[in-house]
Amino acid sequence: MERLSREKVKPLAEQYGETDEVPQEIIDAMKEAGIFRILFPEQYGGDGVSAVKLCIAREALSRFSVVADVTLAMQGLGGYPIVVAGDKEQKEKYLPLLAGGDLLSTYALTEPGAGSDVASMESTAVKDGDCYILNGTKRFISNGFRADMGVVFAKTDRDRGNRGISAFIYTKGMEGLSIRKRIKLMALHDLVELQFTDCRVPATNMLGAENGGFKTAMQTLDLLRMSVGASALGTARAALDLAVRFSLRRKTFGNPISSYQGVSFKLADMATELDAARLLVYRAADLMDKGAGRVTKESSMAKYYATEMAGRVVDMAVQIHGGIGVTRGMDVERLFREARAPRVYEGTTEIQKMVIANLILREAKEREGDQQS
Ligand SMILES: Cc1cc2nc3c(=O)[nH]c(=O)nc-3n(C[C@H](O)[C@H](O)[C@H](O)COP(=O)(O)OP(=O)(O)OC[C@H]3O[C@@H](n4cnc5c(N)ncnc54)[C@H](O)[C@@H]3O)c2cc1C
C-alpha cells in the first residue's frame, strides 16, 4: 500500500496538481493494485470487507493524494450500503463492478437544510407503479461528478422522521437527475449538488426495506467514520515528516531550530498525538473485523479524535515552517487546508461527541436497570 501510494499515486497527484477532477490515471493505478476489493465480499469479486485494510489504505493514500483517498472512501460509502442491505440481484449487478473499480460510487444523504439533522431531510420518494418518483436536492456530494452511480436517501414517509427514510441506488444519466458542480472547496475535492426532479427510480433499486434507510446509512458510517480517522492519520503523518525535516535544516541564531525546546517539544506532541489517534483508529477497525457487531462508539471516537488531532498537528507543522509555511504552493499549506473538512464531513466533531455521550449514558442506564432488577 505504501509502495502504491508513494510510487504510483504520488507522482500522478503531483502531475495533476490542484484540480478538483478525479484523474482517470489515478483510478487506473488504484484498480490495477486491486485496492477497491478490500471493501467487498469475496463472493462478489472482493477480498472480503476489511476495516483494518481500509484504514491502512486510507492512511497511506491521504499522505500523498486526497483525491485517491476520497475515491476509495466514496467507493465504500456507496458500495457498503449494497453489501449490508442489497438483495442478491443488486449485489450481483453492482458489487463485482465496484470491487474492480469499473464503476465508481457516491453517497447522497446531505441536503441544504439537513446535514447533522438527517431526519429533517425534505427529499421524497413516492411509489408509482414499479417505480419511485424522487424529488429533492442533495448537497456536498463527494466525487458526485465523477461517480457512475450512488446511494441516495429520501423520505418514503414524511411523518416518521428517521424511520421514514429509504435508500435507493441511482445511476448517472437517469432522467430527472441533474448534477451541478457548484461548490468549490478550500482543498481539492470533486463536490457537487444533485437535483432530482420527478426522477423515476425503479422499485428494484430500493436498498433494504422501505423506511429502513436510516439504519443502512448509519451502519455504513460505522465502517467509514473510523476510516476518516485513518485518512487524518496520513495527513498528520505527512505534516510531521515535513516538520521534522524542516526543523533539522532551518537555522536561526546559528543553530537548527530542532535544537530549541520550543520546537522539539512540538514534534514530541505531534508524534504522541498521532500515535494515540492511531491506536483509536485501529482498535475500532480491529473490533469491526473481529465481528464485534456495531462499533458505533469506537468508530466515532476514532473519527473525532483523529481528525481534531490532524488539525492540531498540521497547525504545529505550519508554525514550525514559519513564514514559508503559510505560502501558497507549499505542501504543508496544502495539508493545512486538507485537514479542515474531515472535521465536518461524515458527522461533525460535535455530532461524534453526541453519539459517544449518548451511548455511554445508555450503557450506564442499562447497567443501573440490571442492578435494580
Ligand atoms: C468536503 C465535504 C464533503 C462531503 N461529502 C458528503 C457526501 O459525499 N455525501 C453526503 O451526504 N454529505 C457530504 N458532506 C456533508 C457533510 O456530511 C455535512 O456538511 C455535515 O454532516 C454537517 O452538516 P451541515 O453542513 O448541514 O452543518 P449543520 O448540521 O448545519 O451544523 C452546523 C454546525 O452546528 C453544529 N451542530 C449541529 N447540531 C448540533 C447539536 N445538536 N449539538 C451541537 N452542535 C451541533 C455542527 O457540529 C456544526 O458545527 C460533505 C461535506 C463536506 C464539507
Side-chain angles (χ1 to χ4, degrees):
M1 196 57 63
E2 187 84 20
R3 245 176 83 193
L4 162 76
S5 302
R6 193 179 286 285
E7 291 174 14
K8 295 255 169 77
V9 172
K10 182 171 182 259
L12 288 169
E14 285 168 357
Q15 181 191 325
Y16 282 96
E18 297 237 2
T19 163
D20 57 8
E21 305 291 326
V22 182
Q24 186 59 40
E25 281 179 81
I26 290 188
I27 295 164
D28 288 343
M30 293 170 76
K31 273 170 72 167
E32 213 176 286
I35 199 168
F36 298 113
R37 291 207 299 264
I38 58 179
L39 291 161
F40 300 97
E42 283 175 47
Q43 202 184 341
Y44 298 104
D47 293 338
V49 180
S50 166
V52 169
K53 284 187 188 163
L54 172 62
C55 288
I56 291 171
R58 292 200 65 183
E59 183 176 352
L61 290 172
S62 69
R63 285 181 70 188
F64 304 114
S65 167
V66 67
V67 168
D69 173 44
V70 169
T71 298
L72 179 62
M74 296 318 296
Q75 202 74 337
L77 277 165
Y80 198 59
I82 305 178
V83 174
V84 295
D87 60 29
K88 192 166 173 287
E89 281 91 80
Q90 290 165 339
K91 287 181 177 172
E92 283 173 354
K93 184 169 177 188
Y94 294 105
L95 296 186
L97 294 170
L98 290 169
D102 299 312
L103 277 183
L104 292 184
S105 187
T106 193
Y107 178 88
L109 184 67
T110 304
E111 299 184 1
S116 307
D117 181 11
V118 175
S120 68
M121 78 166 54
E122 288 183 351
S123 294
T124 53
V126 177
K127 186 93 193 279
D128 182 38
D130 57 359
C131 285
Y132 281 84
I133 302 177
L134 257 74
N135 279 290
T137 306
K138 294 289 171 182
R139 188 165 74 169
F140 291 135
I141 307 309
S142 300
N143 274 22
F145 196 71
R146 182 62 186 77
D148 307 287
M149 57 167 292
V151 173
V152 59
F153 298 86
K155 286 251 172 90
T156 31
D157 187 338
R158 294 178 91 155
D159 302 324
R160 291 186 63 206
N162 286 341
R163 297 210 171 109
I165 294 171
S166 299
F168 300 88
I169 298 168
Y170 77 85
T171 49
K172 207 173 188 174
M174 274 180 162
E175 207 174 317
L177 166 62
S178 72
I179 301 175
R180 298 184 293 209
K181 212 176 176 182
R182 293 217 312 223
I183 314 160
K184 202 110 187 105
L185 199 71
M186 61 201 279
L188 268 184
H189 215 98
D190 166 8
L191 210 54
V192 302
E193 203 169 87
L194 303 178
Q195 179 67 47
F196 293 88
T197 310
D198 292 334
C199 179
R200 294 182 75 84
V201 177
T204 50
N205 282 25
M206 179 180 271
L207 275 175
E210 190 171 77
N211 298 326
F214 184 73
K215 189 173 168 215
T216 304
M218 295 303 123
Q219 268 179 297
T220 303
L221 291 180
D222 274 1
L223 171 65
L224 272 298
R225 273 181 178 160
M226 69 179 78
S227 81
V228 180
S231 163
L233 298 179
T235 307
R237 196 165 138 209
L240 175 60
D241 288 350
L242 289 171
V244 168
R245 268 209 309 275
F246 186 84
S247 72
L248 288 168
R249 276 203 324 263
R250 177 72 175 171
K251 285 189 175 160
T252 62
F253 308 102
N255 301 301
I257 58 171
S258 58
S259 66
Y260 303 124
Q261 204 176 70
V263 172
S264 65
F265 275 21
K266 280 195 183 63
L267 298 175
D269 284 343
M270 291 157 85
T272 306
E273 285 213 41
L274 181 51
D275 273 6
R278 185 174 282 120
L279 290 172
L280 281 176
V281 166
Y282 287 100
R283 173 186 70 163
D286 184 48
L287 276 175
M288 187 161 210
D289 285 352
K290 284 186 175 142
R294 296 290 299 270
V295 292
T296 310
K297 186 174 71 182
E298 292 79 6
S299 191
S300 283
M301 285 177 169
K303 197 261 176 192
Y304 145 51
Y305 187 79
T307 56
E308 292 291 329
M309 173 282 300
R312 289 190 294 273
V313 165
V314 176
D315 188 66
M316 284 190 262
V318 169
Q319 190 69 11
I320 287 172
H321 280 75
I324 199 113
V326 286
T327 308
R328 208 59 200 238
M330 291 294 288
D331 280 341
V332 76
E333 180 269 346
R334 174 182 50 77
L335 292 170
F336 184 77
R337 287 182 284 114
E338 287 177 2
R340 194 61 190 84
R343 291 159 62 191
V344 171
Y345 59 64
E346 287 188 44
T348 62
T349 292
E350 293 73 22
I351 295 303
Q352 306 306 328
K353 289 187 189 182
M354 267 172 56
V355 169
I356 297 162
N358 286 342
L359 287 168
I360 292 171
L361 293 170
R362 193 201 295 168
E363 283 162 14
K365 281 181 196 154
E366 281 168 6
R367 274 199 304 276
E368 265 177 33
D370 285 350
Q371 278 164 9
Q372 277 164 11
S373 60

